[in-house]
Amino acid sequence: MINKTLGNIFKGDKVIWMVFFFLCLVSIIEVYSASSQLTYKASSYTAPVLKHIMLIVIGIVCMVVTLNVKCRYFKMATPFVLLFAVVTLLWVAIAGASTNGAQRWIVLFGLQFQPSEIAKGAMVLATAQILSALQTENGADKLAFRYILMVCLPIVPLIMVENLSTAMLLCLVIFMMMLLGRVPARQLGALLGVVVLAVALLVCCVMAFGTDEEAQKPANQTLTEQTIEQKKEDKSTVERVFHRFDTWKSRINKFLAHKDVAPKDVDLDKDAQVAHANIAIATSNIMGKGPGNSEERDFVSQAFSDFIYAIIIEEMGILGATGVAMLYIILLFRTGRIASRCENNFPAFFAMGLALLLVTQALFNMCVAVGLVPVTGQPLPFISKGGTATIINCVYIGAILSVSRSAQRKQEIIADTNVA
């Protein structure tokens, strides 16, 4: 009776369920360990992790609800989700709450969330529907490419203004979906050429018009919050529109200036996040220091979010960090197997798009933690401490599980036919 009840709740692919629960287990352990700064502010050791567990539980409830939704209803919801994404992105651009110099948050019905998280899923949903509707024997029709760009046009620029890394991540996922959807190579090649030119132009504009305040200030001088606010007030209207150029230029300069520095010459005050993340990785060894024994968590401001993978390496060692990375790889390959069993194109493209979205973001976060790419601010899905992003990611997994259920039914029908 218990097994039957659990089977009715945890439907869908069992491997994906296992991967999800392992990621949640790692998340609870590492968020509890890495939230030392939050526990100090809250005067409670358990308050941050209990809040995180509550969000995971809410996410699981949303995931169970989503996996019981049939794929055809996802298709029906596409225009409404796209409209909601555009409206909320415009809202956050006009009156969004600011975090770390970027307007990314809005409050709706008492809940604070990032519209870009919903916009990513909306774009994957729309792209999957376009690719499936315009599939031919020789691949996607040429019109599919045009329609996908038309959908991207109102969404990607709105995300890019305040969150360039998220926009780049989304564009990469959409491009990979077009590859899977067999969009003509000539169109994809032309798109790559345009993107390369656009990126080069953007970098030139950032380097020309952006201001790296960290590099300009005198040695041993720090910018106070009052000074920063005064600088913002002194900027012209045009400069305020492109205020993110300063952040992007600073990150580019830091990444390009990367060089081997003797331990005694490292300036821990100038770039504390990256420096202490490197220390955490360098002192991890193969087995790590053990859960809860991180020493660098107190010095990395986003140890529980952007740089949580560095804390995982420090506490769980190279073996543990490799295991966490493998969980995401298993998620991707398992979703690919589910997609191959789908009878229709839409659920296959939809599931693969969501899996690529989650796994690519995870790889971005890991590369930042180990210093392979500039700091992007992308959290580690299912592991980093988050708010509504955690719940939305759970909804994405629920959608993949919903697809797995329809693919499983197809296999059962084929099996019954063969037996008969």
Side-chain angles (χ1 to χ4, degrees):
M1 184 67 179
I2 296 178
N3 290 336
K4 186 177 180 180
T5 302
L6 291 176
N8 290 332
I9 296 176
F10 302 111
K11 302 174 184 177
D13 189 84
K14 299 299 185 290
V15 175
I16 290 182
W17 271 110
M18 291 177 63
V19 168
F20 172 76
F21 278 123
F22 274 122
L23 288 173
C24 289
L25 180 61
V26 173
S27 176
I28 293 171
I29 295 173
E30 294 303 323
V31 167
Y32 179 72
S33 174
S35 298
S36 58
Q37 297 177 33
L38 296 179
T39 59
Y40 176 77
K41 293 179 181 179
S43 301
S44 172
Y45 286 103
T46 58
V49 73
L50 287 178
K51 180 180 178 181
H52 183 62
I53 292 173
M54 181 186 68
L55 287 171
I56 291 177
V57 171
I58 295 173
I60 292 175
V61 172
C62 294
M63 185 167 62
V64 171
V65 172
T66 305
L67 70 86
N68 283 283
V69 177
K70 294 182 179 179
C71 289
R72 65 174 179 268
Y73 294 116
F74 291 122
K75 296 178 69 173
M76 294 171 59
T78 302
F80 303 102
V81 177
L82 282 173
L83 179 61
F84 181 79
V86 173
V87 171
T88 52
L89 285 172
L90 287 171
W91 183 357
V92 78
I94 297 172
S98 179
T99 301
N100 294 329
Q103 290 182 210
R104 298 178 180 176
W105 304 87
I106 62 174
V107 179
L108 185 64
F109 302 120
L111 296 176
Q112 187 183 46
F113 70 96
Q114 286 182 281
S116 59
E117 294 296 326
I118 297 176
K120 290 189 295 185
M123 275 301 307
V124 169
L125 183 60
T127 302
Q129 189 161 343
I130 293 170
L131 290 173
S132 63
L134 296 177
Q135 279 295 307
T136 66
E137 294 182 357
N138 299 321
D141 188 273
K142 293 181 179 180
L143 290 174
F145 179 78
R146 184 182 303 173
Y147 291 151
I148 291 172
L149 292 186
M150 290 173 61
V151 175
C152 289
L153 187 60
I155 292 181
V156 172
L158 289 173
I159 299 176
M160 183 177 65
V161 171
E162 297 295 342
N163 200 337
L164 179 61
S165 60
T166 297
M168 293 174 61
L169 169 67
L170 178 58
C171 290
L172 178 60
V173 170
I174 298 303
F175 184 82
M176 289 189 288
M177 288 184 69
M178 288 194 288
L179 281 176
L180 293 175
R182 298 185 299 167
V183 170
R186 184 175 181 179
Q187 291 180 319
L188 294 179
L191 177 62
L192 275 179
V194 172
V195 169
V196 169
L197 290 176
V199 170
L201 179 61
L202 177 62
V203 171
C204 290
C205 291
V206 168
M207 301 307 289
F209 300 109
T211 302
D212 189 350
E213 295 178 346
E214 187 71 23
Q216 289 186 354
K217 70 181 182 180
N220 300 324
Q221 179 180 341
T222 59
L223 294 175
T224 64
E225 293 183 1
Q226 184 177 1
T227 304
I228 294 174
E229 291 299 325
Q230 184 63 42
K231 285 179 176 290
K232 290 181 180 178
E233 292 177 0
D234 293 340
K235 288 183 176 181
S236 65
T237 303
V238 176
E239 288 176 321
R240 289 177 185 176
V241 173
F242 299 102
H243 67 283
R244 293 296 290 170
F245 277 23
D246 298 346
T247 301
W248 298 342
K249 182 174 182 179
S250 175
R251 290 177 176 177
I252 292 173
N253 283 340
K254 288 178 181 178
F255 184 73
L256 294 179
H258 177 74
K259 59 182 179 180
D260 292 333
V261 181
K264 62 183 180 63
D265 296 328
V266 174
D267 186 352
L268 294 180
D269 294 325
K270 185 177 181 180
D271 201 3
Q273 278 190 314
V274 175
H276 286 288
N278 291 337
I279 294 173
I281 295 171
T283 59
S284 63
N285 297 319
I286 297 177
M287 300 302 295
K289 300 175 181 177
N293 293 323
S294 170
E295 297 176 1
E296 301 304 317
R297 62 191 174 192
D298 299 326
F299 305 100
V300 181
S301 61
Q302 295 294 322
F304 50 84
S305 180
D306 299 354
F307 282 86
I308 196 168
Y309 193 63
I311 306 302
I312 291 174
I313 297 175
E314 182 184 13
E315 295 189 349
M316 301 175 65
I318 302 300
L319 293 179
T322 303
V324 170
M326 286 302 300
L327 289 174
Y328 290 103
I329 301 301
I330 293 171
L331 172 63
L332 180 61
F333 278 91
R334 189 65 183 182
T335 305
R337 185 174 181 182
I338 291 169
S340 67
R341 296 177 177 177
C342 291
E343 187 174 7
N344 301 316
N345 289 320
F346 170 72
F349 290 139
F350 183 40
M352 282 304 300
L354 293 176
L356 287 169
L357 186 65
L358 294 170
V359 175
T360 305
Q361 180 174 330
L363 292 177
F364 262 64
N365 178 278
M366 294 175 188
C367 289
V368 168
V370 298
L372 294 180
V373 297
V375 177
T376 61
Q378 292 294 328
L380 190 59
F382 307 113
I383 293 183
S384 293
K385 184 182 183 301
T388 50
T390 300
I391 298 174
I392 293 172
N393 287 336
C394 289
V395 171
Y396 293 162
I397 289 292
I400 295 175
L401 290 171
S402 175
V403 173
S404 74
R405 290 185 62 201
S406 62
Q408 185 177 5
R409 284 195 296 268
K410 174 192 171 185
Q411 292 297 313
E412 291 174 353
I413 292 173
I414 294 175
D416 293 340
T417 303
N418 293 334
V419 171

